[in-house]
Amino acid sequence: MKKTLDLLRANNELRVIDTPLDVVLEIPHLAYAEVKKQDGGKALLFTHPIDKARGITYDTPVIMNLFGSYARTELLFGRDIEGVATEIENLLHMKPPQNFKEKLGMLGDLFAMKDIFPKKLKTRGSCQETIKQGDEINLYDLPILTTWEEDGGPFITMGQVYTQSLDGNVVNLGMYRLQVYDKNHLGLHWQIHKDSSHFFDQYQRAGKKMPVSIGIGGDPLYTWCATAPLPYGVNELLLYGLVKKETLKLVQSITTPLYIPEDVDFVIEGWVDPEKLVLEGPFGDHTGYYTLEEHYPVLEVSAITNRKNPHFLATVVGKPPLEDKYMGWATERIFLPLLKTNAADLIDYHMPENGVFHNLILAKMKPLYKGHAKQFMHIFWGSGQMSFVKHALFFGEDAPKLNNYEALITYALNRFIPKCIFISEGITDALDHSSPEALVGGKMGIDLTASYSPMAPISIQSTELLEKLRPLIPEISDVTQYMRHTANPITVISISKVRALRECFSLLESLKTYLRIVVFVDEAKNDIHNPYMLIWRVTNNMDAVRDVYRSESIVAIDGTTKTDLDGFEREWPGDVECTPSVVQRLKELSLWDLDLKLEQKYRL
């Protein structure tokens, strides 16, 4: 990590905080504000972390917002992200050489691959310069953060979790939040769809304890590799060699058979009893909501090792934008060629940050036949982590760039009719809170590859529209309209619910001369004039099967909180929000310098 800090300093990408700050709320709150700056802010080095409640002053500095900008992400990769994607695409389309010159070129390509496979060392690594076992083990010696007021405790948020199958033939590197229960136990939030969870099932059936090693720090690319959506059985660390063109050196853990990079800052090793599950959470997650308590496996720590003068790497999650915006951008670009192997006519795809990855995806394709976009919907919903995506919009090759939102939305609304919508069901991310039952819910695809000619409604002012709506639905609080220059203006209605909104949808038909797309949100905690956060809220809160109404002329979406009024039986989680007293203290220390307009926009 020292090399990384030197690199950041040399490029003016590091902000050093020497003021002693608490690992409970203060440090993560400041990092949360930093990443929301217009350019993603700088990486943060907290040199004097403390734990006031426990009376601890830590010697180990904390690093946050490491990947928090496009420029810094490429700096950490050491190369152009699009160049990595091009290299992967060339490898996937490598053809047999036709002449001597092509043979020489292929030799060069193959020689460049020599560093892909990690090398296992027989010696100990720098990550094992200090070894603690037995009574010396104490997780509270590490500056592990408590991010949010309602979190269940401290959580490791940038842990590289190394696991292997029961027979040892398949290894996996993943990233899961890790809750500290006491000095030697960690909760392992590996969700049911993840490879480590599949390994856990193998150990559970065999009645054997499962080894786990957790790396923290080292080369930042290790951490990104832990998030990479590779197919089952493919070692994520192969990406390190591909990107860096360096042979990754691994050493065996002290108390488990697992190998970890020799230069990480910390390693936490241990064993999981497959018969023991413990309540984990709650935790303010990257959806911007708390994930609630559930039972997950627990790790009994058998060793903690570290290098001399280590640094502790962490991240903060909550409402967008977050550091994972930039990590996800690298993943999006690099994995486009791999996604094209299942969908050859895919041109591009994009995951808007306020769709928090699995809630919204945009894709551009070359449609060749009727139903082609629907075929792509099924491909996406059946491909690895893409299967978690709730809402997918597909555009033709003549559409604007997918990140040119204003032009893209105009393009979409001028060709959209209700029959463009396709609703299905499938698996959902374990973090999704909106579906009637956990892990399974509605999916919505919108085919915008065909050019229809919708008839625009009569345009009236929002105040006049509100006067027409209130007699029909008295509980409406306010109305605003977006994209009125298009054939399908979007009407956003805030409401104080007294009944299920599905009882109101048909009432809109009497105003179909003024309405096309209608979106309902709760009056509480929503600003209907803030489209960025409205997209975040609605895509989080809707289940397409339950919450989308379609007629020949109107589409209505229920983006409100679901309660017993809706027949909703699951517990609905609360929003992730900063603690006002902590924000005030950081402002008094002249450390919180986020522009007030951004603070209000992102609903901190």
Side-chain angles (χ1 to χ4, degrees), residues 348 350 362 364 398-409:
D348 199 5
H350 173 57
L362 312 174
K364 185 184 287 191
D398 62 334
K401 289 186 176 180
L402 297 176
N403 58 2
N404 184 352
Y405 298 140
E406 182 76 21
L408 191 70
I409 294 170

Side-chain angles (χ1 to χ4, degrees), residues 541-554:
N541 281 4
M542 64 180 283
D543 177 89
V545 171
R546 179 193 60 218
D547 297 328
V548 177
Y549 168 84
R550 287 174 292 173
S551 70
E552 289 185 4
S553 55
I554 292 177

Side-chain angles (χ1 to χ4, degrees), residues 206-500:
K208 294 184 177 181
K209 289 188 176 182
M210 176 178 172
V212 176
S213 289
I214 301 158
I216 299 171
D219 191 310
L221 205 59
Y222 306 153
T223 300
W224 176 79
C225 287
T227 69
L230 284 171
Y232 178 84
V234 180
N235 186 353
E236 286 78 7
L237 288 177
L238 295 177
L239 288 168
Y240 178 90
L242 179 70
V243 173
K244 288 281 191 173
K245 306 302 180 190
E246 299 173 3
T247 300
L248 174 59
K249 296 176 182 177
L250 305 176
V251 294
Q252 187 173 346
S253 301
I254 301 298
T255 61
T256 76
L258 298 160
Y259 281 80
I260 68 272
E262 72 89 19
D263 60 345
V264 293
D265 286 66
F266 287 95
V267 182
I268 301 171
E269 307 173 11
W271 295 81
V272 179
D273 183 345
E275 300 303 317
K276 186 177 181 181
L277 298 176
V278 177
L279 270 179
E280 190 269 357
F283 177 73
D285 222 313
H286 78 273
T287 59
Y289 288 80
Y290 284 92
T291 47
L292 305 173
E293 287 183 316
E294 286 188 85
H295 285 87
Y296 276 91
V298 60
L299 179 78
E300 183 171 3
V301 179
S302 54
I304 299 177
T305 74
N306 60 266
R307 62 185 307 144
K308 291 178 181 176
N309 302 315
H311 293 79
F312 190 84
L313 181 63
T315 192
V316 58
V317 290
K319 295 174 184 173
L322 301 163
E323 184 178 0
D324 62 10
K325 163 186 174 178
Y326 305 100
M327 298 176 75
W329 163 72
T331 301
E332 173 190 288
R333 296 296 87 205
I334 288 171
F335 279 82
L336 175 59
L338 291 173
L339 191 55
K340 285 182 177 180
T341 61
N342 283 335
D345 300 302
L346 179 67
I347 297 170
D348 199 5
Y349 77 108
H350 173 57
M351 299 177 288
E353 66 203 56
N354 48 348
V356 295
F357 301 108
H358 62 266
N359 283 342
L360 179 63
I361 191 167
L362 312 174
K364 185 184 287 191
M365 61 179 291
K366 183 179 180 180
L368 299 178
Y369 40 81
K370 188 176 181 179
H372 200 174
K374 286 188 176 67
Q375 182 185 39
F376 267 44
M377 294 174 197
H378 290 296
I379 290 171
F380 273 53
W381 290 331
S383 299
Q385 292 189 32
M386 278 289 180
S387 59
F388 300 138
V389 171
K390 290 170 62 177
H391 313 112
L393 280 62
F394 288 85
F395 298 85
E397 56 193 319
D398 62 334
K401 289 186 176 180
L402 297 176
N403 58 2
N404 184 352
Y405 298 140
E406 182 76 21
L408 191 70
I409 294 170
T410 300
Y411 172 94
L413 294 176
N414 280 330
R415 59 176 48 212
F416 171 81
I417 59 175
K419 70 177 287 186
C420 295
I421 292 177
F422 174 72
I423 291 178
S424 183
E425 284 187 297
I427 66 169
T428 58
D429 193 291
L431 304 183
D432 179 68
H433 61 265
S434 66
S435 57
E437 60 177 307
L439 305 177
V440 177
K443 308 276 191 179
M444 181 170 72
I446 303 181
D447 179 1
L448 296 161
T449 60
S451 182
Y452 295 102
S453 299
M455 182 179 295
I458 297 172
S459 182
I460 60 176
Q461 295 298 317
S462 295
T463 51
E464 187 179 350
L465 185 57
L466 178 60
E467 290 176 2
K468 293 181 180 295
L469 281 163
R470 270 200 174 138
L472 300 173
I473 310 172
E475 55 266 41
I476 288 177
S477 304
D478 203 358
V479 172
T480 193
Q481 299 173 85
Y482 291 94
M483 310 302 289
R484 289 176 62 192
H485 62 284
T486 71
N488 280 284
I490 300 171
T491 302
V492 179
I493 299 174
S494 63
I495 192 166
S496 295
K497 272 170 55 174
V498 295
R499 53 181 162 165

Side-chain angles (χ1 to χ4, degrees), residues 524-535:
K525 296 190 175 182
N526 289 298
D527 176 4
I528 61 172
H529 304 289
N530 184 344
Y532 181 94
M533 295 307 293
L534 284 175
I535 291 170

